[in-house]
Amino acid sequence: MSSQGDHKPGSVGKGAAVGEHEKPELVMADGLLVPPITLRQWEEIKNFQARPDDTFIASYPKSGLVWTTQVMEMIQLQGDVEAYKANKKLVPFLEFSIPNVEISMPAVKMINNLPSPRVINIHSPISHISKSILEKKCKVICVLRNPKDVVVSYYHFHTFSNIAPNPGTWSEFLQNFMIGKVAFSSWFDHVKGWWSLRKQPNIFFLFYEAMKKDLGYEAGRLASFLGRDLSPEAMKNLVEQLSFNSMKTNMDEKIPNFKTVAGFSFKQFIRKGQVGDWKNHFTVAQNEVMDQLIADQLKGTSLDFCYEL
Ligand code: A3P
């Protein structure tokens, strides 16, 4: 456990910017805290019309969503490594609409024009998603990760991303996370909302920690949910290609213009990929407060997270 209260690995000072860009302030969209690029297209996001054969990957930021998109891709490609490397497209994020940018963050309009079947990432809690997603009984893959590692990952993300505001110090960021004063608001509301739908057959849950423990097993569960069957060879390829080291090494090559669009490289984004990095950040006192908050907030939900492997 960290002994220093204000661990600041590469943190950005107040008012500072990453590179030459100004860091944005968060804004409210119907009571949800979001970055300005999300608010700019909020009406389109709210009124987005899902199609019955859409698949959504839903997660609170920093829970392993991009990793899951790659697992989906390898499943869809039946573990074909050459086809996987040749595919230069990323799954679009509904909420990070950057009009006229064709690669990683398309506008809602661009998603509207994609052919079916579509795969779409979403970060909003169920209180703020388009009603059509649940009404049309779309498949939703919810990716969950323990909140201590989420907040650590989120903090680091803020230090290198231009779409995230200034994180302040680690202690300040942790405090804001605990009260939901970060982009996409409360982690607790987010996971409790999606978890409340767990009995619906079209909603599927993946836990980051379980993927770390046995990616092949979790990918197999996901493949079954998607109605796919992978050969042992295909599964071996998937596991090799999507290990932490392999993705950290290969993703910038796979998606060469990602850095130009996102403002940070995959080498930065795929940072540490561990269960338990929170121990290098939380002080004993911070951990006690967090444990109490988790116990209070998740009481009676049957949600149980793994904090170390
Ligand atoms: P860390 O910052 O803890 O390293 P998201 O895609 O939801 O934003 O999640 C990002 C987190 O997933 C980062 O966590 C990132 O390193 C981790 N991640 C990405 N690819 C991974 C992989 N192949 N194995 C393990 N973790 C991975």
Side-chain angles (χ1 to χ4, degrees), residues 26-241:
L26 292 178
V27 287
M28 275 292 181
D30 292 334
L32 186 72
L33 273 174
V34 293
I37 58 163
T38 303
L39 185 67
R40 243 176 268 150
Q41 303 227 5
W42 191 245
E43 284 307 307
E44 287 96 325
I45 291 167
K46 259 194 342 196
N47 298 321
F48 174 73
Q49 283 307 304
R51 301 176 196 153
D53 59 356
D54 284 339
T55 301
F56 291 86
I57 309 182
S59 79
Y60 190 85
K62 315 320 293 172
S63 303
L65 177 135
V66 170
W67 190 15
T68 305
T69 63
Q70 301 307 292
V71 176
M72 285 266 307
E73 196 177 314
M74 276 296 267
I75 291 172
Q76 285 167 333
L77 297 170
Q78 295 287 331
D80 182 334
V81 176
E82 290 317 307
Y84 172 74
K85 285 186 178 161
N87 179 20
K88 303 291 173 197
K89 290 204 176 114
L90 284 172
V91 173
F93 274 92
L94 192 65
E95 296 98 339
F96 293 131
S97 301
I98 303 179
N100 306 322
V101 174
E102 290 259 328
I103 168 191
S104 62
M105 300 172 184
V108 178
K109 268 190 207 131
M110 269 170 69
I111 298 179
N112 287 343
N113 291 332
L114 287 176
S116 291
R118 305 178 295 187
V119 181
I120 302 162
N121 293 333
I122 47 173
H123 270 335
S124 297
I126 58 167
S127 50
H128 288 74
I129 58 168
S130 149
K131 285 193 177 48
S132 67
I133 297 175
L134 299 178
E135 278 169 7
K136 300 219 167 119
K137 301 207 181 315
C138 299
K139 282 196 171 77
V140 183
I141 298 152
C142 298
V143 191
L144 305 185
R145 185 183 191 184
N146 84 65
K148 295 183 190 177
D149 283 326
V150 165
V151 63
V152 166
S153 180
Y154 213 3
Y155 170 68
H156 286 283
F157 178 76
H158 279 65
T159 67
F160 60 76
S161 168
N162 284 320
I163 60 164
N166 186 321
T169 64
W170 157 247
S171 304
E172 286 164 348
F173 188 78
L174 176 62
Q175 180 57 29
N176 283 334
F177 178 86
M178 291 202 267
I179 58 173
K181 238 176 101 186
V182 289
F184 297 96
S185 297
S186 162
W187 176 87
F188 296 99
D189 290 347
H190 193 283
V191 299
K192 285 191 285 187
W194 282 107
W195 192 242
S196 71
L197 305 177
R198 69 190 175 282
K199 301 224 164 102
Q200 297 190 13
N202 54 317
I203 315 277
F204 177 84
F205 286 86
L206 274 177
F207 286 80
Y208 179 95
E209 296 77 14
M211 286 166 69
K212 278 293 292 186
K213 200 167 166 198
D214 192 341
L215 181 57
Y217 182 78
E218 294 303 313
R221 285 202 315 119
L222 177 58
S224 304
F225 174 71
L226 297 170
R228 305 284 180 123
D229 194 15
L230 258 64
S231 67
E233 177 70 16
M235 189 55 87
K236 187 170 159 276
N237 289 348
L238 181 154
V239 170
E240 273 172 17
Q241 208 61 39

